[in-house]
Amino acid sequence: ETGRFVNPWLSESTNGESGLWNFLRWKVGGSWERLVGRGAKNENGEYQRGARTPSAPLLSSMETRTNGLTHAENKERIKLTWIGHSTTLVQLPGNFTVITDPHFSNYAGPVRRHNPPALSVEDLPDVVDCALISHDHMDHLDYWSILSLIDSDKVKHWIVPLGIKAWLIDKTGLAPEKIIELEWWEGVRLSKVVRGDDIDESNAKLIPEVEGLVKSHKDTSKTTRDGFPNSSHRSKNELVVTCAPAQHWCSRTPFDRNRRLWCSFAVRATLVCADNRLERKAHSFYFAGDTALPPNGFPLHRQIGDRLGPFDLAAIPIGAYEPEWFMRETHCNPAEAVEIHTSIRAKRSVAIHHNTFDLSDEPGLEPQRRLNEVILESPNTMEDFRVIEQGDSIQSPT
């Protein structure tokens, strides 16, 4: 045993022994530009050092096109605002607000950001029910952003995969009681009491309560399809967050590869029903984090869709896939992102993880161009998988 987490369908390549060597092979094995600081590729595929220079101070938001951060006008819809990279602000029915992989800083490790975040920490709503952290890479788990969020006291709960709780406590001083640590297929239920007889979501209590942890594979006949016990709390809006698998890996230094778990997240909001005789309607969101397609056709994302889907809205990465020999077990390309969209049975997906940091060899705008090409070849997905600008919002379909 290595004492490290693995992708169980591909354990030999994720045991932490070859990651650094392959990274050096990629960075040093190519051209002199890669060795001294390759910059970005231009649209002709040529390295151009300093090709991108921030046009505005970072850690302050760009002029936003979100038309405010209110929940969707239609209370039956989920609203997502893309802040940049894998950071999204998701507002769900039931007065729930979620932020994913919050990153507002100049750098992700040594890589400089070339677009400022669309929103700053100060721009966020006063209450963010939970922050979802998918893994420990520096473009997803950002020290300075977390400190800013702690200082703001806006995030009420931090939901993370195994191993990241200890890092948050040790490095940032985050209070342990604010952190909910999960393994794959484990989830947590949060709830908000609705005041009085009016079930309008604006009457929901602002601060969510933790109902408890449940294994989503628990063997019981008294569970919902996502594995949680059927709730008798008809006076509560509920948010179930499930830690789901992903094809990825973890590391913040050359010496801690896969010491912490990585994941995706399924989020399901259920509202108080005006008539107790009616089935309560759920609204579902999927955050893919960082993921590739597992090799040899292993149906990971189909399993997620069958177990936790379908999803009204999903955020799926489309960038950082070149060179293919190095990235294929780490990130998905646009065609693979569309395959994930189909497998999880998402009604609508939005592209993330592109055109923010130069993490790989493809030109910055290539992922969205390739995604558009794939979509044109599959007319059924034309309205279902969209690219939006940073700062723009998108809603789940009606």
Side-chain angles (χ1 to χ4, degrees):
E1 294 185 5
T2 63
R4 307 173 194 265
F5 291 101
V6 298
N7 293 304
W9 49 86
L10 189 64
S11 58
E12 289 185 0
S13 68
T14 56
N15 61 7
E17 295 178 359
S18 61
L20 179 59
W21 166 248
N22 279 338
F23 178 80
L24 294 174
R25 175 187 162 201
W26 167 36
K27 287 296 184 181
V28 181
S31 63
W32 172 250
E33 286 84 352
R34 288 179 181 159
L35 182 62
V36 300
R38 63 184 182 88
K41 275 186 178 181
N42 59 29
E43 294 304 316
N44 295 322
E46 301 167 339
Y47 286 105
Q48 182 179 349
R49 194 175 187 187
R52 294 188 173 113
T53 301
S55 57
L58 300 181
L59 284 176
S60 62
S61 59
M62 65 170 66
E63 183 178 354
T64 181
R65 298 172 296 280
T66 60
N67 298 319
L69 292 178
T70 58
H71 285 245
E73 291 183 7
N74 183 337
K75 294 175 182 177
E76 295 294 306
R77 302 175 73 179
I78 301 170
K79 180 179 178 181
L80 178 149
T81 301
W82 186 35
I83 297 174
H85 199 52
S86 295
T87 307
T88 69
L89 187 74
V90 185
Q91 294 164 296
L92 297 103
N95 198 28
F96 290 108
T97 300
V98 174
I99 192 169
T100 64
D101 286 351
H103 199 301
F104 300 92
S105 297
N106 260 352
Y107 288 88
V111 181
R112 185 174 178 83
R113 190 180 196 125
H114 59 78
N115 284 326
L119 299 172
S120 67
V121 171
E122 291 74 20
D123 295 325
L124 297 177
D126 290 337
V127 174
V128 177
D129 297 293
C130 55
L132 309 181
I133 305 294
S134 65
H135 63 295
D136 70 1
H137 287 161
M138 293 182 182
D139 57 319
H140 296 259
L141 178 62
D142 180 59
Y143 171 78
W144 296 107
S145 298
I146 292 171
L147 290 185
S148 295
L149 286 166
I150 292 173
D151 289 343
S152 75
D153 197 31
K154 292 184 175 186
V155 177
K156 304 310 171 186
H157 300 286
W158 297 75
I159 303 179
V160 303
L162 293 178
I164 291 182
K165 179 176 182 177
W167 186 93
L168 287 172
I169 294 171
D170 180 53
K171 302 297 184 182
T172 71
L174 183 59
E177 60 270 19
K178 286 198 167 190
I179 308 170
I180 302 167
E181 191 174 56
L182 305 172
E183 62 179 331
W184 286 354
W185 305 118
E186 186 178 33
V188 61
R189 192 205 303 269
L190 307 178
S191 67
K192 290 187 176 182
V193 176
V194 177
R195 301 188 184 101
D197 297 327
D198 188 350
I199 66 168
D200 185 274
E201 67 178 28
S202 63
N203 287 322
K205 183 179 177 181
L206 288 179
I207 307 302
E209 299 174 353
V210 177
E211 294 279 335
L213 301 182
V214 180
K215 300 282 188 181
S216 80
H217 48 73
K218 188 175 182 180
D219 184 18
T220 173
S221 60
K222 299 181 179 180
T223 60
T224 61
R225 70 183 307 276
D226 57 10
F228 284 79
N230 288 308
S231 174
S232 60
H233 301 300
R234 292 283 174 172
S235 62
K236 294 183 179 181
N237 293 334
E238 296 176 343
L239 190 75
V240 172
V241 180
T242 303
C243 175
Q247 164 68 46
H248 205 58
W249 56 283
C250 276
S251 178
R252 290 185 72 85
T253 75
F255 311 106
D256 65 350
R257 185 174 170 91
N258 293 349
R259 298 293 184 182
R260 292 173 282 269
L261 188 60
W262 52 95
C263 72
S264 59
F265 286 101
V267 181
R268 184 178 299 266
T270 309
L271 277 65
V272 166
C273 187
D275 188 340
N276 284 341
R277 295 171 299 177
L278 299 178
E279 185 71 23
R280 298 205 296 169
K281 183 177 180 182
H283 306 268
S284 55
F285 167 70
Y286 180 68
F287 173 56
D290 258 0
T291 192
L293 282 182
N296 305 320
F298 184 83
L300 170 64
H301 296 96
R302 191 179 69 191
Q303 288 183 359
I304 293 171
D306 289 345
R307 201 163 189 169
L308 300 170
F311 297 98
D312 299 303
L313 187 64
I316 301 176
I318 66 167
Y321 49 80
E322 293 289 348
E324 191 270 342
W325 67 265
F326 181 75
M327 295 291 188
R328 64 175 174 259
E329 294 172 1
T330 301
H331 297 133
C332 58
N333 62 40
E336 293 166 336
V338 172
E339 187 175 337
I340 292 172
H341 160 82
T342 302
S343 295
I344 63 172
R345 295 186 291 143
K347 297 176 183 177
R348 177 170 293 163
S349 292
V350 62
I352 59 171
H353 200 271
H354 68 100
N355 201 30
T356 307
F357 297 105
D358 290 319
L359 301 173
S360 54
D361 283 355
E362 76 270 4
L365 297 178
E366 182 185 280
Q368 63 190 71
R369 177 182 61 79
R370 286 185 58 179
L371 178 63
N372 288 333
E373 290 174 354
V374 174
I375 290 173
L376 288 174
E377 295 173 359
S378 307
N380 291 337
T381 63
M382 192 167 297
E383 291 296 317
D384 299 339
F385 204 135
R386 301 185 183 181
V387 175
I388 62 175
E389 296 294 326
Q390 294 184 28
D392 277 352
S393 298
I394 190 170
Q395 296 184 22
S396 58
T398 55

